[in-house]
Each structure stands twice: as C-alpha cells, then as structure tokens.
Amino acid sequence: MQQVAEPSAGSNDVLLAVENLEVTFGDTPVLHNVSFEVRQGERVAIVGQSGSGKSTTIGAILQLLPGNGYVSNGSIRLGSGGTMVDLADASDAQMRSIRGSRLGLVPQDPMSNLNPSMKVGAQIADALMSNRPPGSERWARAQTKARAVELMTEAGIPDAERRYGQYPHEFSGGMRQRVLIAMSLAGEPELLIADEPTSALDVTVQRQILNHLQNLVDARGTSLLFITHDLGLAADRTDRIIVMSEGRIVEVGTPREILLNPQEDYTRALVAAAPSVAAVLGREPAGGGTSSIAGPEPILVIRDLFKEFKLRGQRGSTVQAVKNVSFSVQRGTTTAVVGESGSGKTTVARIILGLETATSGEALIDGKAITASRGQERRALRRMVQPVFQDPYGSLDPTFSIERLIDEPLRIFKVGDKDDRRRKVADLLNQVGLPHAVAQRRPNELSGGQRQRVAIARALALEPEMLILDEAVSALDVLVQDQILRLLADLQDRLGLTYLFISHDLAVVRQIADTVVVMKAGEVMEAGSVDQVYNRPGSEYTSELLGAIPGAAFAA
Amino acid sequence: MIRYVATRLWQSALTLLLASLVVFIGVRQLPGDPALAMAGEEASPEQVEAIREQLGLNDSLTSQYFTFIGNIMRGDFGESTRTGTAVTELIATTLPVTLWLSAYAIVVAVVVGILFGVIAERFRGRWPEWFANGFALVGLSVPNFWLGILAILYLSVTLGWFPASGYVDVATDPLRGLYYLTLPAVILGTGLAAVIMRQTRASMIETMSTDYVRTARAKGLGRGRVLMRYGLRNSLIVVVTIVGLQLGGLISGAVVTERIFALPGFGKLTLDAVFTRDYPVIQAVVLIITMSYIVINLAVDILYSVVNPKIRVGGAN
C-alpha cells in the first residue's frame, strides 16, 4: 500500500490524503474507491444521506469502525514528511497518540456522547491528560483544571469555573455540544472532524455553535472535515464539498459549483430537494402550496389559549407553556406553526388533539372543543383530526404488522367488516405510494421514509379532514423528506385535507405552508402568509430565524 | 437527601412493627409447646402448667404481644426458654460470626463477579468469556451445600489447604479468623458472584457500544482508562441494583453454609431455636433479619444515588 508518486503539486501542505479507500463489513464492502484530500487550514465538507458512507469514512480515519468493519484497501495518510502516518496501517498504540492530539472529533449527538456519570470538567481533563506531549512532565491537577476551564470558556460556556463540576444532565443540548467542542480541541489537533455536530439542535443554537466552532478553528489554523446531510450548511461553512452516495464519491467541487452547476444527476436531485437551498434560490416549492379549495369557514379556531404546567418538586411554581395564543386555520390549507424547542408548538398540538387540557381559552374544531365534548361527539371530533408524529421509529408498535397498524383505528371505530378493512388498507397503502406487499411486514423491515408513509396511511384511515403533522419530516433525509412533502401536497389536492404543520425548520415550512405562525416561549410572535412572513418579517425573532437558515449566504 | 432518609426510616419502623406482629402470631401457630419442651418428657402436668404461668403463656395473646413489644422497646428480648440465657447475649455472640461471614462473602462475590464480568466483555467470543460464562452457570445452578461438601472434601480433607470447620473470632485474631472463614465465604458468595458476573457482562457489553465510549476513545484515551472510567462506572449502576436485590438471599444462604462448616453463627442459632420452639429467640432472630433487609435496601438506595448522579436528590448545586 506504499504510494510512491505524490498525488499533486503543492502536496506539502496536504494534511490528510485518503486514497482508494475501501471499507468492508464482514465480507460486504461498503466504501468503494474513496479518495480525497484535506489541506492545511482547509475546510472540507462531506455531504450525503444516511447510508452514504460518510460516517464510515470518518470511522476509518479514526480507526473506530463499529463491529466487524475494517479497511480492506487503500491508504489514509496523515501529515507529510517525517510525521506522516498511514492511519489504515497504524498500530493501536500509534492511534492512541494520534487520536485527540492530531485528530479531534466533535461527535453528532450531544445527548449521548458525554459520560453521564462523570463531571464534564473531569471529561475534558481526561482529554487534556491523555494528550500531553510525550516526555512532558505530568500536569498538576490545578493546572489541568485551569486549562479545562479556559477551554470551556473559549467554547462559549458561561460561568465555566462553576460548571466544571457539573454533570452532563445539568446541561442543555447546545451547552453539551460546546463541552464536546472544548473536549475535541483539548489536544490542539491538526484536523478536526465534525460529524453532524449540530443536527440535533435548534436552528438559532446551531448557528451560534457553528459560528463559534468556525472561529476557534480559524484562530488555530486547524483543518476541518465537516460531515453533514445538509447541503446548505456545507455550502455556508466550507471551502470544498464532497458529495457521497452509496459508499462512493459522486462529485467534488466548491460550494458555488455544487449548488449552482451540479454535474451529476444525484447532486442535482440533492440540490433540488434541499429545502434550505430551495428557500434561498427562490425556486418553486415542491408541493401545491396554495390550494384553491380554501373555504370561508375556518376548520380550526384557537382562541386565547393558555397552558400552565406545575413544576415538580417546587410547590406552587408553574411554567407557562402557552400564553395567549390565537389563530385560525382555513379548510383545505396548510398552516405551519414554527418555533424552537420550548416554544410551546407541540403543547398547542396536544391541546387540539385533546391529549392535554388548556388552562384557559379554547381550541375549536368545526366550532366544537374536544375537551368539552362527550361520547359520540367526542369520537366524531377525534376522527376528524388525526396526528402524524416525528419519530417514524418510535411511533409504530414494532410487534404489529403494517396491516394491523393501519387497520387499528378502523377496528377501534368499528368501521366495516374484516374484508372491508382489508380492502381499505390496500387502498390506503396505494394512496401513500407503498406496494401492497408491505402489508404483512413489520415496521423494522421498512426504511424511515416508508414508515412515515405508514404513519400517514394510518392517520388517513378514518378519513379525517385535518392532519396534525408534528415535525413529521424532521427525522428524514432530504431526498426522502422531499418525497414525503410531495406526497402530502398530492394528498391535500386529492382529498381536500387541512394540515397543521408543526416544525422547527423554516426552509421546509416555506415549501409546504400557506400560512405561518411563529412561536417563541409560548407566545405568538408573528402570523401571516408565507410570502409576508418570509419576505417582510414583522418581528425581530423571525428575522433571526430566517437568517439562521443555512445556505442563506447564496441568496445573493 | 435528609428528608428522603427520614421518610425511609419512618417507613422502616412501620415495617418492623408489622413484622413483629407477623412473627409473634406465626410462632404461636407452630405445633408444639415450649413449656412441654422445657419441662421434659417426665414432667407432671402441674409442672408444665407452672412453667406456662411463669413464661406468661397463659395470658391473652394481646397482652402477651404488648408485653413483648414493650420489652423490646426497652431493649429486652427476654430469655431463651431452652437455656435461660438472655436473648441479647445469644445474639451478641452469634451475630458477629454471620456478619463477618456475609461481609466476606459479599467482598468475594463483588470482586470475582465484576472481574469475571469485565473479562467476559473484554474477551468476547474467546476462551476467557467461555470460562467466565461456565463459572456463572455452575455458580447459579449448583446448590451451596453440595459445593460446600465438595470443597471440604477436596480443599480441606485431601489437600489440607483450609480448615474443614471451626471458627476463630475475627476481631481478636484477624488473620486466622479470616483464614477460617475463607472457604465458607467463597461458597456462600458463589451464587451472588455468578449473578454479578452475568449482570456486569451484559451491562458492559451495552455500555461499551455507547457513543460516549467511542468519543472517549476519539479523545485518545487508552483502552484501560476507557474501560474503567467510562465503561465500568456506568455499568455499575445496574449492577448495584441487582446486588441489592440479591443480598437478602445471602442471609438465608448463611444458615445453610454455617451448618455445613459448623460455624457458631446466627444461622445455627435460628435453626436450634426453631427446633426447640424457643419463642423469644425465634422472635428476636426474625426481627433482626427483617431489620437487616431494611438496612441493606436503604444502603443500596443511597449507594445507587451516589453511583448515578442523575437521581441524586438536590443535584450538585
């Protein structure tokens, strides 16, 4: 695997050179012929959907491939000249001295990447101590702590001295991600690998953290390998984009080349589907967007809604989850409720569905409130409004067959006999674009997009007039997300459905909604048509949210 | 935290009171008469009657119970109907034996169980794991008394490494005392060690595949450090709970083990008392066993919150 010829001119400053990399799990190769370079101080993005091989690539670089994965061909050269190492060939001991001090990792999920039973400070101190240059004397405890507090402060954690002694569960997601960033920089690595570092966070937090990360990296002259599924994000943050699909590199180019002039079909599809890019390039939305069936009678009216939750353990103190929220939804249209976590958007949805009781105010479906209704009327209202939830993995009972899952609401409401229901399920599967053969399978045999189609089919089983889509596409890859959004638009056209679309993603909302309600901390900040809210935002908060959409830099 | 402990103590007192009632009634339902047992076969009915009167057995059950509770409150458990020795004295001489034995067994079980559990995870699919799994299977399925007899037969009689029976007070001569207790403690701890090993192995396998373990390795930490500080520490949360649930079984196991090794412990006292219908001793023994269950569970709950910062009441602030 020894490479004799240097790949290109100016390779002196090549920091990482991956060549013909092939990774195999068991006896199935999953990465094929992957070659790319990262130069000193350069920021490179790898963009792809789940299963594209982007995480496997960084697993190979760090020699932290899961299970029975191994590098079966190719080389991964880090550094040049005397310090050059082939990571594909390095020993365990070598890797230990490289990880942390030459290669830093900012992992994906801030919730699961910190040791829950160890103070965060000690976890950063651990990283500091394992990355002492060899031969240097042992750091004193106080010195290590001082450096860790310094790193935490640099990463934007206020009051770091005190928070040093706290446990991960006392930190918010954003703060945990900052801890992880501080940790990854502890060894002053030459290359920082950021694996979807913000995809679990709210947009505004995402922007703050990425800005911060970028400043830290720039100040140190560290190279950045940025893994993401979000093309807009990659375009905003990096010098070069590598598009991957099914274990191969599809296309490489500058953000401008990839976004404005993609060469490959796959890249074109990806660019077309990326909501953030579509939003800024001002292209036609995916779905119908504007429906003509809008009637004069609103199907849903929310009036002066309040919801208070009692705080556990503190007698008498409450938190106001929803404050004075009013809006209405016209029949046959799509209204989006947008906000970050904690904005109260899901609480509003739960009140409408009758899963939660409002403290005061009302949520009227066709002029009637679920919570105030009884018996027949309540059942009728429940049938009219059906939910589709975010997590296509958690919201389907894994022990049920797909047929039984879709069939369930029909059985509960005693609709038709066995044969009727079977026909109905077949019809529903057809409507959501799933093959009939799926009926006898179980949820874990289906992909995320297919599961979400099942969830939609189930919601449609009772022929409701309105669907409440709570972050219904947030967990899906862009291409799949695009397909589901098209399906929703198509169903709305054919069945005259009304959607209440709850989302944190303004780019997606722009594609599907007619009307937008922006919420923050339980209150409505702004409500209006999509055009009005996006082009002439009436509140500062809305402008901030819009500015945080990745890819916005390419609006010009 | 203090409030939590206070609540738990109050609940414990109630539990004890209930237990005292159950044992008081239960003992009196046993066939046989302590007065008859005391008086011997040739005693006249008058003599038996006199003994009954003297023991207060002719009073109503209610008044007997209140006398019993009242005496306990004053720390008086009465006298053994068989030997006339004060029950408190009997307990004072036998309880330490059992406590030393149990404590030793717990230490053995925890050390062996966690060690084998970690080894099984570390060498998955290779011979150390098979060995550890085999050990757990034997430990769980072979009864203590049989293991004990085998151990005496081979380790004491044939090889002569350990004494076959006997007891030396650990407090007066720690080395010899522990030496005499080693075989019984290992036998008593085997079952618990097997449970701990299985639990540790299962939860280590889970913990070592978490994201934070991968991140710890990406920080450049060595395998050993990751195993101990990231893997084992989080695995122990589950292990502590399971160990707590199993500890109660240790006491009943001690009764059998003490009999095999002829240790003058609490188990022997209990058995003798039951056979001779020695009411005061049975009552005291059962109450103390109940109390030890309660104390163990309380200790486990407190330990649990130490290991798992998330449920620590009041948090770090």
Side-chain angles (χ1 to χ4, degrees):
Chain A
M1 264 178 275
Q2 210 56 27
Q3 291 281 313
V4 184
E6 287 297 300
S8 64
S11 61
N12 291 354
D13 59 357
V14 170
L15 180 61
L16 181 79
V18 176
E19 255 169 77
N20 301 323
L21 182 66
E22 183 186 80
V23 171
T24 304
F25 282 92
D27 12 74
T28 323
V30 293
L31 276 194
H32 315 272
N33 251 330
V34 169
S35 304
F36 64 92
E37 278 176 2
V38 179
R39 294 188 199 91
Q40 218 97 54
E42 194 185 24
R43 295 192 300 251
V44 177
I46 301 183
V47 179
Q49 306 194 34
S50 40
S52 63
K54 55 191 198 301
S55 293
T56 306
T57 306
I58 63 167
I61 295 173
L62 287 162
Q63 262 198 31
L64 288 176
L65 287 166
N68 55 359
Y70 65 99
V71 174
S72 45
N73 198 10
S75 66
I76 305 167
R77 278 173 299 130
L78 178 69
S80 54
T83 58
M84 199 266 272
V85 205
D86 185 352
L87 300 179
D89 244 9
S91 69
D92 252 20
Q94 262 179 311
M95 280 317 293
R96 202 174 306 153
S97 68
I98 289 168
R99 289 187 206 121
S101 57
R102 295 185 68 184
L103 295 173
L105 172 71
V106 183
Q108 172 165 16
D109 183 355
M111 292 320 194
S112 67
N113 275 291
L114 287 168
N115 183 348
S117 65
M118 207 168 153
K119 292 171 179 170
V120 296
Q123 298 189 49
I124 298 173
D126 246 7
L128 281 169
M129 287 193 285
S130 69
N131 292 310
R132 270 174 298 129
S136 70
E137 57 187 286
R138 218 185 145 76
W139 275 18
R141 227 165 227 279
Q143 207 180 348
T144 312
K145 178 174 176 182
R147 180 69 188 126
V149 169
E150 198 174 86
L151 279 166
M152 285 169 75
T153 311
E154 271 183 58
I157 299 169
D159 201 7
E161 185 89 37
R162 183 174 64 84
R163 307 216 74 178
Y164 179 90
Q166 289 187 329
Y167 286 94
H169 70 269
E170 299 172 68
F171 286 73
S172 68
M175 281 298 149
R176 288 187 203 204
Q177 195 55 273
R178 288 174 194 269
V179 171
L180 287 166
I181 289 172
M183 212 146 77
S184 68
L185 292 172
E188 302 289 332
E190 297 157 47
L191 174 67
L192 192 68
I193 300 172
D195 184 6
E196 305 246 14
T198 55
S199 53
L201 303 173
D202 278 333
V203 264
T204 49
V205 182
Q206 178 179 12
R207 185 163 69 151
Q208 285 165 12
I209 288 188
L210 288 177
N211 284 345
H212 210 97
L213 180 67
Q214 197 163 336
N215 290 341
L216 290 174
V217 168
D218 287 352
R220 285 169 161 83
T222 311
S223 308
L224 181 69
L225 187 59
F226 186 73
I227 314 296
T228 179
H229 64 277
D230 190 331
L231 203 50
L233 212 56
D236 268 3
R237 302 281 168 182
T238 58
D239 309 320
R240 217 143 46 86
I241 295 177
I242 298 166
V243 180
M244 281 189 77
S245 169
E246 288 170 22
R248 289 171 209 279
I249 290 182
V250 177
E251 192 167 352
V252 181
T254 64
R256 192 156 285 278
E257 286 165 359
I258 298 283
L259 283 195
L260 302 178
N261 190 20
Q263 298 301 306
E264 301 292 324
D265 287 345
Y266 179 79
T267 317
R268 254 177 243 135
L270 206 59
V271 172
S276 55
V277 178
V280 282
L281 296 184
R283 267 186 299 97
E284 195 61 14
T290 47
S291 260
S292 50
I293 334 158
E297 269 294 288
I299 184 169
L300 173 73
V301 177
I302 309 278
R303 209 176 285 144
D304 309 325
L305 203 63
F306 281 89
K307 176 69 191 175
E308 273 182 11
F309 287 106
K310 289 203 178 66
L311 283 179
R312 251 204 321 192
Q314 287 152 278
R315 203 159 297 170
S317 55
T318 54
V319 61
Q320 292 255 344
V322 175
K323 281 178 256 181
N324 198 18
V325 168
S326 304
F327 64 88
S328 61
V329 175
Q330 297 296 320
R331 206 176 282 276
T333 67
T334 299
T335 298
V337 180
V338 187
E340 299 181 84
S341 39
S343 62
K345 54 192 197 300
T346 293
T347 308
V348 170
R350 290 178 62 86
I351 292 171
I352 298 168
L353 288 165
L355 300 172
E356 205 87 70
T357 319
T359 309
S360 69
E362 45 192 8
L364 303 176
I365 301 158
D366 240 6
K368 285 164 268 186
I370 283 197
T371 45
S373 61
R374 288 281 166 268
Q376 275 310 115
E377 191 182 51
R378 186 170 198 154
R379 286 167 72 84
L381 285 175
R382 281 246 151 99
R383 273 186 81 154
M384 264 179 78
V385 183
Q386 290 288 315
V388 177
F389 293 110
Q390 170 169 14
D391 182 3
Y393 294 87
S395 52
L396 300 178
D397 188 330
T399 63
F400 279 25
S401 69
I402 300 304
E403 175 158 40
R404 189 157 166 224
L405 278 166
I406 300 176
D407 185 37
E408 194 180 25
L410 297 173
R411 274 182 286 120
I412 292 172
F413 281 90
K414 301 191 177 68
V415 181
D417 59 20
K418 220 169 169 184
D419 287 330
D420 284 346
R421 293 203 291 262
R422 179 151 291 177
R423 270 195 299 277
K424 178 82 185 169
V425 170
D427 180 44
L428 284 165
L429 283 174
N430 193 26
Q431 279 196 12
V432 297
L434 285 174
H436 191 204
V438 161
Q440 298 315 320
R441 303 233 206 116
R442 298 201 187 258
N444 59 9
E445 297 171 61
L446 305 186
S447 69
Q450 286 176 319
R451 287 176 200 225
Q452 210 54 311
R453 285 174 194 265
V454 171
I456 293 170
R458 179 172 62 171
L460 291 176
L462 292 170
E463 296 169 10
E465 294 184 40
M466 181 168 181
L467 291 189
I468 298 198
L469 304 150
D470 189 355
E471 301 274 11
V473 298
S474 307
L476 305 172
D477 277 331
V478 267
L479 288 183
V480 181
Q481 189 176 9
D482 192 51
Q483 287 162 8
I484 300 288
L485 289 174
R486 281 172 200 278
L487 171 69
L488 287 172
D490 178 49
L491 289 170
Q492 187 169 49
D493 275 352
R494 278 193 285 136
L495 307 173
L497 292 169
T498 310
Y499 294 147
L500 187 67
F501 191 86
I502 292 166
S503 179
H504 69 280
D505 190 334
L506 275 100
V508 167
V509 163
R510 172 166 208 162
Q511 280 185 291
I512 188 158
D514 304 304
T515 321
V516 182
V517 178
V518 181
M519 283 186 72
K520 185 195 180 189
E523 288 177 278
V524 173
M525 305 306 289
E526 177 170 11
S529 71
V530 165
D531 183 51
Q532 191 188 331
V533 172
Y534 279 72
N535 295 329
R536 296 178 299 280
S539 82
E540 209 163 290
Y541 180 66
T542 313
S543 313
E544 196 186 322
L545 277 180
L546 288 171
I549 302 181
F554 285 82
Chain B
M1 191 73 187
I2 292 166
R3 238 182 82 183
Y4 170 72
V5 174
T7 322
R8 289 292 306 262
L9 285 177
W10 163 239
Q11 288 170 348
S12 307
L14 268 180
T15 314
L16 267 180
L17 195 69
L18 219 64
S20 72
L21 190 62
V22 170
V23 61
F24 179 84
I25 294 169
V27 161
R28 278 155 182 76
Q29 299 309 312
L30 287 176
D33 184 342
L36 211 59
M38 264 178 91
E41 309 240 328
E42 270 131 57
S44 65
E46 287 75 30
Q47 280 172 309
V48 174
E49 191 53 35
I51 294 171
R52 293 186 61 88
E53 193 60 43
Q54 187 199 334
L55 294 178
L57 293 175
N58 287 337
D59 300 351
S60 74
L61 272 185
T62 332
S63 92
Q64 280 189 51
Y65 179 68
F66 282 111
T67 319
F68 164 61
I69 290 293
N71 287 340
I72 288 179
M73 296 290 191
R74 276 183 275 118
D76 177 10
F77 283 87
E79 282 113 39
S80 161
T81 52
R82 190 166 54 102
T83 61
T85 329
V87 174
T88 37
E89 200 187 309
L90 283 175
I91 289 169
T93 53
T94 55
L95 192 58
V97 180
T98 305
L99 286 182
W100 280 116
L101 175 64
S102 309
Y104 198 174
I106 291 170
V107 172
V108 169
V110 166
V111 170
V112 172
I114 289 179
L115 190 71
F116 279 20
V118 170
I119 287 175
E121 191 281 334
R122 182 71 187 75
F123 298 96
R124 278 190 80 184
R126 281 182 278 165
W127 68 264
E129 190 196 10
W130 302 332
F131 176 75
N133 282 341
F135 162 80
L137 187 68
V138 171
L140 280 177
S141 40
V142 179
N144 266 353
F145 62 86
W146 194 71
L147 272 182
I149 292 167
L150 275 193
I152 292 176
L153 209 58
Y154 290 101
L155 299 180
S156 306
V157 178
T158 313
L159 295 168
W161 291 353
F162 295 98
S165 66
Y167 176 74
V168 174
D169 184 25
V170 183
T172 45
D173 187 350
L175 270 181
R176 257 169 61 83
L178 288 179
Y179 174 61
Y180 269 79
L181 274 182
T182 300
L183 213 48
V186 169
I187 298 302
L188 179 56
T190 311
L192 186 60
V195 174
I196 294 176
M197 177 265 152
R198 288 201 165 170
Q199 200 55 53
T200 308
R201 174 180 168 274
S203 92
M204 279 295 280
I205 288 172
E206 203 181 308
T207 317
M208 290 306 281
S209 61
T210 55
D211 287 347
Y212 57 81
V213 164
R214 180 171 182 259
T215 303
R217 296 198 58 199
K219 279 195 283 196
L221 297 185
R223 258 179 208 281
R225 209 174 165 79
V226 173
L227 199 71
M228 298 308 290
R229 282 169 68 100
Y230 293 77
L232 189 56
R233 193 152 179 192
N234 288 290
S235 305
L236 284 187
I237 295 174
V238 190
V239 175
V240 167
T241 320
I242 300 295
V243 171
L245 292 174
Q246 297 286 332
L247 280 186
L250 209 61
I251 297 170
S252 48
V255 174
V256 178
T257 313
E258 283 175 11
R259 192 139 188 99
I260 299 167
F261 291 92
L263 295 174
F266 211 55
K268 189 170 174 297
L269 180 70
T270 314
L271 278 183
D272 292 346
V274 171
F275 288 140
T276 56
R277 305 288 180 266
D278 199 340
Y279 287 1
V281 176
I282 300 178
Q283 286 164 355
V285 160
V286 171
L287 278 186
I288 285 173
I289 291 179
T290 313
M291 200 142 78
S292 64
Y293 265 80
I294 291 170
V295 170
I296 287 171
N297 277 310
L298 188 62
V300 168
D301 282 353
I302 292 170
L303 190 62
Y304 189 66
S305 73
V306 171
V307 188
N308 187 354
K310 265 190 223 175
I311 64 163
R312 209 171 287 168
V313 187
N317 300 0

